[in-house]
Amino acid sequence: MHPYRWGDPSRPAELPEAVRTALTHLGAREPAGEPAEPDEIAVPPVRLTDRAIAKLEDVVGRDHVRTDSATRVGHTRGWSTPDLLKLRSGDAADAPDAVVGPADHEQVLSLLQVCTEHRIAVVPFSGGTSVVGGLTPRRDRFNGVITLDLGRMDRLTAIDETSRTATLQAGVRGPHAERLLAAHGFTLGHFPQSFEGASIGGYAATRSAGQASAGYGRFDEMVVGMTLATPQGTIELGSAPMSAAGPDLRQLVLGSEGTLGVITSVTVRVRPAPAERVYEGWQFDSFEAGSDALRALAQDGPLPTVLRLSDEAETSVNLADPARGLGSGADGCLAVAGYEGTADGVAANRAAAAEMLRAAGGRPLGTEPGEAWRAGRYRAPYLRDPLLDAGALVETLETATFWSNLHRLRHAVTEAVRAELEAAGTPALVLCHISHVYETGASLYFTVVCAQADDPVAQWSAAKAAANEAIRSAGGTITHHHGVGIDHRESYAEEVGEPAVEALRAAKRALDPAGILNPGVLLSP
């Protein structure tokens, strides 16, 4: 992974000439100079004392405590556009003082004790794909910051084929998890767009939602047990599939973003690997008609494994299939329905869903657009790098609401972002799709493209603040699957209210009295 480019550097994306022309019409101009290379980025001096470093080395071994610049740069911030822009400009002010790689749960516990003793802030890190500032803790009250890289903890430690559960260490990344499970005939079925880089621990810590959530469920619905290392000791959660023994503390840990403890392993529900996969496209005259069709399937069934709908703007630029070139899309709105399972089950669900989609005004486009989306579903983020190189600002945001409020929320966010960027002299293209559906509502995922201003980080910060305000005013949740981090922290506090925030603070004080775990993330310091 490149420190400030998305995904695998051996698979770069190129912009079609038509896109470069469109960016010119938006006012985009290639930035002067080239982005800083990783070895050109300066990092601050290491603040850890020699004694503290020696203590860390006593736990994990000298080879697994890294203070070299390249390793520190590679663990600086996450994958949001502002994160990338800062590194491209040579800014690594938030680099950790050291990157420490534990081998097991016991080493994590010991490291937390050392960091508590020496007042060192700890940032749990496995995939490093946060896009909301979840890897940028507060530093001023501590004697240094370490990144706790769980990449060595990447094993499948147990599988129960009868119960269909598997226990995976937190550092297992998405593709490796699927390979490990496939050897036993199973799949997790969790495929977020960050799949190539994200990990099991990160999925749990952020309440991740994969693109196949309609069929397999969100990650928090898959979790049946967890092991958590805290400065106060170990917490084991999930002794049975369901229980009435008090509040479900798994729900406290899920979404806690490394602030209550370090998730070291997760036990998940798995399913047999599908014998057949079929993805197809449907066209609707309007976003409203398409969303009515998706609601009918979500509420009355049959529910496909994947179900998503691009609005008119996103359909027209063909963001659902970037491999075929942006700007080559069709009219109306494109829906993608994917079916996975046995051959008989797929055939039956396709036929029943097709009847409902036709009744709602949908026109079948065959399997080509659906299969193209499936084949290229991880490629869209790769476009961000050449777009930034071309002088464009591109970023995403998401929310969710009830069906009855869906169109109001979409309109409010779209107009707020457009107005803010137009006021800054950079008119924007705002695209939207429904990415996940439920009986009671759906999520909305926005992609924003405009020309970079002189200070693109400040430019996006203002647009993001406008979007956050619009989401809260229009009754949406501040995040559906990206997490809270720092970017959504204040809006999250407004959403849940002060008593709820104080309850979380109390839990943190109980588990992390010294406040060393990801300070300032999720909860304001």
Side-chain angles (χ1 to χ4, degrees):
M1 297 290 178
H2 194 286
Y4 55 74
R5 287 189 176 270
W6 183 276
D8 183 350
S10 69
R11 301 171 60 208
E14 293 187 6
L15 291 183
E17 192 57 39
V19 175
R20 293 186 180 277
T21 301
L23 292 177
T24 300
H25 291 315
L26 283 174
R29 297 291 183 271
E30 290 189 11
E34 295 293 324
E37 289 297 324
D39 58 1
E40 299 172 344
I41 299 174
V43 292
V46 173
R47 293 194 296 153
L48 301 176
T49 65
D50 291 342
R51 182 167 177 267
I53 291 175
K55 287 277 192 177
L56 297 171
E57 292 175 344
D58 287 344
V59 176
V60 300
R62 181 171 296 179
D63 290 344
H64 302 295
V65 178
R66 301 285 299 274
T67 58
D68 60 283
S69 294
T71 302
R72 293 172 65 198
V73 168
H75 290 76
T76 300
R77 310 186 188 100
W79 281 11
S80 72
T81 292
D83 290 342
L84 303 189
L85 287 168
K86 289 176 183 177
L87 283 173
R88 289 164 70 100
S89 72
D91 175 4
D94 295 324
D97 294 288
V99 177
V100 182
D104 55 36
H105 175 83
E106 295 304 320
Q107 287 189 1
V108 174
L109 283 175
S110 297
L111 289 170
L112 294 182
Q113 293 301 313
V114 171
C115 291
T116 297
E117 176 187 350
H118 290 269
R119 285 204 56 76
I120 299 169
V122 177
V123 183
F125 182 108
S126 45
T129 59
S130 172
V131 293
V132 291
L135 303 174
T136 314
R138 182 168 181 172
R139 299 161 172 268
D140 56 333
R141 298 178 181 176
F142 300 92
N143 300 322
V145 176
I146 69 164
T147 291
L148 200 66
D149 190 327
L150 304 174
R152 296 172 68 198
M153 299 171 61
D154 64 350
R155 294 186 299 117
L156 170 67
T157 60
I159 188 157
D160 180 344
E161 297 188 11
T162 302
S163 304
R164 292 185 178 176
T165 66
T167 301
L168 294 151
Q169 291 182 311
V172 179
R173 290 191 174 185
H176 189 40
E178 287 300 316
R179 288 191 294 269
L180 291 169
L181 294 172
H184 298 272
F186 291 102
T187 181
L188 181 58
H190 189 69
F191 303 107
Q193 198 161 55
S194 58
F195 173 74
E196 294 175 335
S199 68
I200 294 295
Y203 292 162
T206 60
R207 287 188 180 273
S208 176
Q211 297 180 56
S213 65
Y216 291 101
R218 293 167 53 96
F219 192 75
D220 48 6
E221 296 173 313
M222 300 175 182
V223 173
V224 297
M226 284 183 291
T227 301
L228 186 74
T230 81
Q232 298 293 86
T234 297
I235 295 178
E236 295 276 3
L237 299 171
S239 58
M242 292 291 175
S243 173
D248 187 350
L249 294 179
R250 289 174 300 185
Q251 299 303 320
L252 179 64
V253 176
L254 290 165
S256 59
E257 301 189 28
T259 61
L260 302 180
V262 180
I263 298 168
T264 57
S265 68
V266 182
T267 301
V268 290
R269 172 257 293 154
V270 295
R271 291 184 177 166
E276 186 163 333
R277 291 183 175 94
V278 178
Y279 283 63
E280 59 189 16
W282 289 79
Q283 185 179 36
F284 290 89
D285 288 336
S286 67
F287 188 77
E288 289 74 14
S291 62
D292 285 346
L294 267 60
R295 177 170 60 84
L297 289 176
Q299 292 179 338
D300 302 321
L303 190 59
T305 306
V306 168
L307 190 58
R308 53 187 284 129
L309 174 73
S310 294
D311 71 0
E312 292 87 348
E314 186 171 287
T315 299
S316 69
V317 301
N318 204 31
L319 192 61
D321 183 13
R324 296 182 62 186
L326 300 184
S328 60
D331 295 331
C333 293
L334 173 67
V336 172
Y339 306 86
E340 300 187 4
T342 64
D344 289 344
V346 166
N349 285 338
R350 280 187 73 193
E355 184 176 342
M356 293 197 67
L357 291 169
R358 281 194 178 93
R363 295 181 293 279
L365 301 176
T367 58
E368 183 180 356
E371 291 297 330
W373 175 84
R374 182 171 74 88
R377 60 182 162 177
Y378 306 124
R379 292 299 295 163
Y382 284 81
L383 291 166
R384 179 166 60 176
D385 299 317
L387 284 167
L388 293 176
D389 292 341
L393 176 71
V394 56
E395 186 56 300
T396 63
L397 60 98
E398 40 76 51
T399 179
T401 191
F402 296 104
W403 287 113
S404 58
N405 191 48
L406 192 75
H407 302 304
R408 172 173 174 254
L409 178 62
R410 172 174 167 254
H411 178 78
V413 175
T414 299
E415 292 307 309
V417 172
R418 279 180 180 160
E420 181 64 39
L421 290 171
E422 285 177 4
T426 52
L429 179 64
V430 182
L431 317 175
C432 181
H433 67 259
I434 292 175
S435 58
H436 304 78
V437 299
Y438 308 95
E439 286 189 53
T440 55
S443 69
L444 293 172
Y445 192 96
F446 297 86
T447 301
V448 183
V449 184
C450 65
Q452 288 184 31
D454 291 339
D455 185 346
V457 174
Q459 176 191 16
W460 177 249
S461 178
K464 176 67 170 174
N468 287 356
E469 176 58 32
I471 287 169
R472 292 291 303 123
S473 298
T477 180
I478 196 58
T479 177
H480 171 263
H481 58 270
H482 281 172
V484 173
I486 290 175
D487 295 358
H488 298 148
R489 186 178 60 199
E490 280 68 37
S491 294
Y492 168 67
E494 294 173 5
E495 182 174 327
V496 300
E498 183 58 31
V501 171
E502 187 51 41
L504 278 177
R505 290 188 190 281
K508 183 169 177 63
R509 286 193 294 268
L511 298 175
D512 178 25
I516 63 168
L517 288 165
N518 230 3
V521 170
L522 184 66
L523 299 167
S524 43

